[in-house]
Amino acid sequence: MIVADIQKNSLKEQRLQFIRNHQQAFDVEPIYPLRLFEDFVMGVEGDCSIEASCKIELDKLIASRFMLFFKDKAQEWQKYLAQSLAFFRQVENRVGVQLDYSLLQGFLGDNFDFSKLEVLSAGIDLRTNLADSSVKMHIRIRDYPEKLATAFVLSDGAADSNYLSGFVNLIGFDLYFKGKSAIEIYAEIREDDFFKPETINQVWRHFPDSVLKPLQASDLFFTGLSKANNNPVLYYSLKNRQNLINYFKLNDTAQRVHSFYQHQDILPNMWVGTAQQELEKTRIENVRLYYYKYFGME
């Protein structure tokens, strides 16, 4: 029992170290509420993964972006949701921070069936201007058509349920500190379905080759649809992060981020998010890069 406790505490320290290494590498200032997020991460019992990401806009690097994924075998989703919401409410304790829960509450409703929940994550996307910062939550559901229908209604026309309902399982929520919120619908295609005739006819024929090429190194493809984004964001789950530079022509700022993570002890896979217009350029100037580390008892 004592050995197990020591191992648990060691894993918690490793979580914090992963977050701090990212902060140090990219000169992340300890802006509010980064320390509260660290406390939240340290307070989570059981296995988890942490995502550290950077958003690159030309030569501007936004690096105070982290998500925690609850990965414990117990799958106590109701408890994990309560922990996440408690963290959000802590964030609201500061004067000038007001979160709008209307979209999230509208989706969850009063009698959410947690047996239909597959993945839950919560995190932060922080900016030096407090009003532009947000807390985030992603919820992945399975065989829950009524909640899927609710998500499409809440998206207010950003995603077409007639066309996309068969492709959606993941819903994202951004709660900005200035009191507005956004919902993002993720339409997904798995590797097994990439080259099926129906996928080619329904999906890929709408895209140029520049969008299709990275599929060769991917096992999952998402299109993120939200009123908060002017253009849909295309997300690729690369099976091996070593393939990033083979399929994406990154600018120097993004190259610097990726160079750091090439030498870190993290999971081999990564996500890349960018717009179609960027993929058609000779160099990608606006991109999101996501890296992961798993923290679990052997």
Side-chain angles (χ1 to χ4, degrees), residues 257-268:
V257 172
H258 192 59
S259 294
F260 170 75
Y261 274 109
Q262 289 294 67
H263 304 291
Q264 301 304 303
D265 177 23
I266 58 174
L267 293 173

Side-chain angles (χ1 to χ4, degrees), residues 1 20 23 27 39 43 51 80 137 185 216 251 267:
M1 193 70 180
R20 294 272 171 92
Q23 292 173 42
D27 302 320
D39 292 344
E51 169 192 282
Y80 308 150
M137 183 175 286
I185 306 274
Q216 297 169 27
N251 70 7
L267 293 173

Side-chain angles (χ1 to χ4, degrees), residues 178-191:
K178 60 184 170 188
K180 65 168 190 152
S181 61
I183 182 171
E184 189 163 7
I185 306 274
Y186 295 91
E188 69 181 67
I189 301 172
R190 294 181 172 276
E191 184 180 17

Side-chain angles (χ1 to χ4, degrees), residues 255-287:
Q255 290 271 17
R256 179 165 74 87
V257 172
H258 192 59
S259 294
F260 170 75
Y261 274 109
Q262 289 294 67
H263 304 291
Q264 301 304 303
D265 177 23
I266 58 174
L267 293 173
N269 61 302
M270 71 172 294
W271 279 88
V272 188
T274 193
Q276 179 178 318
Q277 294 89 321
E278 294 291 325
L279 292 166
E280 292 168 357
K281 294 180 184 175
T282 53
R283 197 163 77 150
I284 296 170
E285 300 285 4
N286 298 280
V287 67

Side-chain angles (χ1 to χ4, degrees), residues 33 58 67 102 112 137-138 155 162-163 167 170 178 181-182 195 205 232 235 237 242 277 281 293:
L58 301 176
M67 293 286 282
S102 59
F112 191 88
M137 183 175 286
H138 285 157
S155 78
N162 295 323
Y163 177 59
F167 295 100
L170 183 67
K178 60 184 170 188
S181 61
F195 304 110
R205 68 184 180 87
Y235 295 94
S237 171
Q242 310 288 348
Q277 294 89 321
K281 294 180 184 175
K293 189 170 177 70

